[in-house]
Amino acid sequence: MAQNVRVRYAPSPTGVPHVGNIRTALFNWLFARHHGGAFILRIEDTDVARTVPGAVEAIMGGLEWLGLDWDEGPKVGGYYGPYFQSQRLGIYGQEAQRLVAEGWAYRCFCSPERLAEMRKEQMSRHQPPGYDRRCRSLSEREVFPGVAPVVRFKTPLEGETRFLDLIRGEVVVENRTLDDFILLKSDGYPTYHLASVVDDHLMAISHVMRADEWLASTPRHMLLYQALGYPPPHFAHLPMILGPDRSKLSKRHGATSIMEFREQGYLPQAMVNFLALLGWSLDDKTEIMSRQELIRHFSLERIGKTGAIFSHEKLGWMNGVYLRQLSLEDLLAQVLPYLERDLSPPVPRPLDRGYVAQALALVQERMRILREAAELTDFFFLADVEYPAALLYQGLAKGALEGSDAAARAMTALEAVVPRLKHLNSWDAASLEGLLRPLAYELRLTTGQLFGLLRVAVTGRTAAPPLFQTMAVLGRERCLRRLTAALGKLASLQASP
RNA sequence: GGCGCAUUCGUCUAGCGGCCCAGGACACCUCCCUCUCAAGGAGGAGAUCGGGGGUUCGAAUCCCCCAUGCGCUACCA
């Protein structure tokens, strides 16, 4: 692999880029960076009907978000452009023409209707579907005026085609199992087969790394390289990414668009790390790897052969790992947009950065994705917290105490706490703890009972960050107001049992 | 139907003839820490290496057959 490594990621702009495609891009990028080669982005927009506006931007946006920079392609240009196949139609037409002239291909005038019917019949007779080669023997002058022909490849009727796949090893296919596939469509656009072979050659691609679904077409491509007189590149077919049902991952498996992951708050570095491990591994234990480490260690030899199910579960864990590694400033910068977006509307914007930072410090290790930030911290921002009154005293109801007794005990506790909090000299976590811990003993409550009660009163929930730090961040005023509100809840409970 | 590729814990994987009655990670369970939830730490459960034949002193690792899965079989990529 001493030669110049040039690899490409060649998506078709038919929709939003999904993680399967992106993983292919990542492997190509890692391979290029590892070998100091070039990573090329080429847009395969040869299907006019399926091309969707904005898809190219989405693809580039996805790559940029993940930090997969390309050396040649849209935006950056390059010596081998243009990088949109729709702008290279002349080249494909020329090469197709050449193949016809040299006897490697022929024009076919069969109508789509005839082809469809033929296919249907073949299927019903349990025959392998494929073009019956009716136009293969037409002479140069036998043309059908008014019918725009397609150009088909004259696949050899005998012999076999073999090639070495860097991941699978040698693959052999009998030529007679291949039909005369289309090179140029009647609208003048090339099919994938023609366009990718021509461009991979013209763009001096050294290694074609693409998804496994292309393995079966590669013999056709080999035949084309021969006919066109091009030396073929190396091939490496990547294992596919599967949905939970083990079929090719697609939209019906839920969130698969790379941008959806971004919106949910996955970090690009976590995404890169996770995707790299889908089909590739370094050894038997290393999982968390930086971009640089991935580049340093990436190699074709360590790519697996079997499809991998995309596990949201593990991705979530890994994202949490990366989230915890962030400095507070970085975390703040990452989370702010999500909070602005997800916090309930009554919370005044813009958020106070200093205050948000204090709250974030308390939830950093509890977050898996940024999307959860609002839910984890909303009580820091809301004017009042809402919760069922029963939460206040449920921790006190254990043992022989009846519910109403527990509520009464909760009231007693709160009544003892409020005035002391009011007069606490210094409002910080240590002082709060110094006051409240002995108080629990005094009230004949366990710390768990007292702190649990206060946690509910102050945050409205039973699971939250450590109490004293939380109260310190919330501030005296907010805490007292909530404690008083809790007292009110309990009182009205007593009034109407 | 034809052709191709694949098959190790639920999942991602390590393993490339003896170091493996199979190692790591996620998820799960238990315990520790502890004001809850996390995080962290320590354990546990979980794979007759798809099945069957070989080869070999010895196979998850090599060969053959079968089964299953997936992919391709479009004027889609």
Side-chain angles (χ1 to χ4, degrees):
Chain A
M1 241 153 279
Q3 47 166 172
N4 288 348
V5 165
R6 288 176 58 81
V7 294
R8 93 287 137 107
Y9 170 51
S12 60
T14 52
V16 292
H18 91 278
V19 291
N21 292 84
I22 289 291
R23 200 280 314 259
T24 298
L26 173 63
F27 277 25
N28 274 282
W29 182 84
L30 287 172
F31 186 71
R33 294 294 171 259
H34 177 85
H35 291 286
F39 176 61
I40 293 134
L41 174 60
R42 182 174 77 215
I43 305 299
E44 310 226 326
D45 52 349
T46 55
D47 187 338
V48 186
R50 291 207 312 153
T51 294
V52 336
V56 174
E57 289 68 27
I59 287 165
M60 294 193 292
L63 293 175
E64 282 164 356
W65 177 59
L66 291 174
L68 308 185
D69 55 325
W70 55 99
D71 305 299
E72 296 172 30
K75 273 190 176 176
V76 302
Y79 291 120
Y80 299 88
Y83 294 90
F84 285 84
Q85 292 188 324
S86 60
Q87 293 169 23
R88 303 169 62 83
L89 264 25
I91 301 172
Y92 313 123
Q94 231 169 9
E95 290 300 81
Q97 184 56 252
R98 212 184 98 212
L99 288 174
V100 171
E102 293 175 3
W104 293 102
Y106 60 94
R107 291 193 175 75
C108 168
F109 298 87
C110 294
S111 68
E113 294 73 35
R114 184 179 105 77
L115 296 176
E117 199 171 313
M118 179 180 65
R119 196 160 20 244
K120 216 174 85 188
E121 214 169 285
Q122 287 164 333
M123 299 281 260
S124 70
R125 275 185 290 139
H126 290 289
Q127 301 248 305
Y131 181 55
D132 63 3
R133 302 188 156 115
R134 175 187 276 196
C135 297
R136 181 160 165 140
S137 51
L138 250 37
S139 77
E140 275 291 321
R141 282 172 305 287
E142 288 182 88
V143 294
F144 296 72
V147 179
V150 300
V151 173
R152 284 182 186 272
F153 186 70
K154 207 179 276 184
T155 302
L157 273 13
E158 297 174 342
E160 57 185 31
T161 298
R162 57 180 64 217
F163 65 95
L164 185 73
D165 184 274
L166 264 21
I167 292 171
R168 314 279 158 177
E170 183 162 66
V171 177
V172 187
V173 168
E174 305 261 358
N175 292 152
R176 60 181 167 73
T177 65
L178 271 23
D179 76 342
D180 289 356
F181 55 97
I182 292 175
L183 261 21
L184 208 59
K185 305 178 222 178
S186 57
D187 63 1
Y189 277 72
T191 59
Y192 172 84
H193 305 301
L194 208 220
S196 70
V197 167
V198 167
D199 285 347
D200 286 340
H201 173 253
L202 259 26
M203 294 181 182
I205 298 303
S206 63
H207 297 71
V208 170
M209 271 191 256
R210 71 224 315 189
D212 204 27
E213 51 191 299
W214 293 111
L215 187 67
S217 314
T218 308
R220 294 181 238 278
H221 301 160
M222 289 303 291
L223 255 13
L224 258 180
Y225 277 102
Q226 280 172 33
L228 287 161
Y230 302 157
H234 295 291
F235 289 98
H237 288 91
L238 276 16
M240 297 202 297
I241 295 184
L242 279 20
D245 62 354
R246 289 213 153 271
S247 68
K248 188 157 80 163
L249 186 69
S250 68
K251 321 96 224 140
R252 70 193 166 78
H253 291 119
T256 55
S257 154
I258 190 69
M259 285 311 171
E260 285 178 77
F261 285 96
R262 180 185 189 167
E263 281 159 25
Q264 288 179 36
Y266 291 92
L267 263 20
Q269 56 270 45
M271 213 67 212
V272 163
N273 193 158
F274 180 75
L275 252 20
L277 256 19
L278 241 38
W280 177 85
S281 64
L282 171 59
D283 54 31
D284 59 346
K285 45 199 53 157
T286 315
E287 302 227 79
I288 302 296
M289 277 174 281
S290 71
R291 192 173 299 260
Q292 285 315 311
E293 288 171 317
L294 287 171
I295 289 172
R296 180 160 62 246
H297 297 298
F298 189 80
S299 75
L300 255 30
E301 293 74 52
R302 298 207 58 85
I303 295 178
K305 298 176 201 279
T306 65
I309 293 177
F310 188 93
S311 163
H312 272 84
E313 201 67 57
K314 189 156 184 175
L315 171 61
W317 162 76
M318 191 172 281
N319 203 61
V321 171
Y322 277 91
L323 238 26
R324 273 173 253 131
Q325 282 177 0
L326 256 30
S327 69
L328 190 53
E329 299 96 293
D330 287 345
L331 181 67
L332 177 63
Q334 293 284 349
V335 175
L336 227 33
Y338 290 83
L339 283 183
E340 297 276 3
R341 183 188 74 183
D342 300 332
L343 241 21
S344 83
V347 175
R349 316 298 210 277
L351 272 7
D352 178 276
R353 294 176 64 94
Y355 184 67
V356 173
Q358 290 184 68
L360 282 183
L362 300 185
V363 299
Q364 181 164 20
E365 68 188 29
R366 293 167 174 75
M367 248 192 291
R368 278 160 82 86
I369 57 177
L370 268 19
R371 173 84 189 257
E372 296 168 344
E375 191 194 317
L376 248 22
T377 61
D378 63 358
F379 60 86
F380 281 110
F381 303 98
L382 265 12
D384 299 293
V385 290
E386 310 245 346
Y387 55 92
L391 284 187
L392 286 168
Y393 55 87
Q394 67 173 17
L396 308 183
K398 284 179 201 134
L401 285 171
E402 291 298 314
S404 59
D405 293 330
R409 265 185 112 191
M411 277 189 81
T412 309
L414 286 178
E415 278 163 353
V417 166
V418 170
R420 306 212 198 186
L421 246 26
K422 229 174 242 171
H423 298 112
L424 183 65
N425 284 330
S426 169
W427 193 266
D428 57 70
S431 306
L432 284 162
E433 182 160 13
L435 169 71
L436 295 171
R437 205 172 273 283
L439 188 56
Y441 181 75
E442 208 175 295
L443 291 166
R444 306 187 143 272
L445 292 173
T446 64
T447 50
Q449 289 175 315
L450 207 222
F451 300 166
L453 160 65
L454 296 179
R455 169 172 295 107
V456 170
V458 153
T459 68
R461 51 181 76 183
T462 53
L467 183 63
F468 312 120
Q469 296 175 56
T470 301
M471 290 176 73
V473 171
L474 279 166
R476 190 192 313 253
E477 195 194 335
R478 222 180 316 227
C479 285
L480 286 173
R481 193 169 67 234
R482 290 180 186 182
L483 289 168
T484 307
L487 226 25
K489 264 178 189 271
L490 290 171
S492 64
L493 210 64
Q494 299 290 69
S496 55

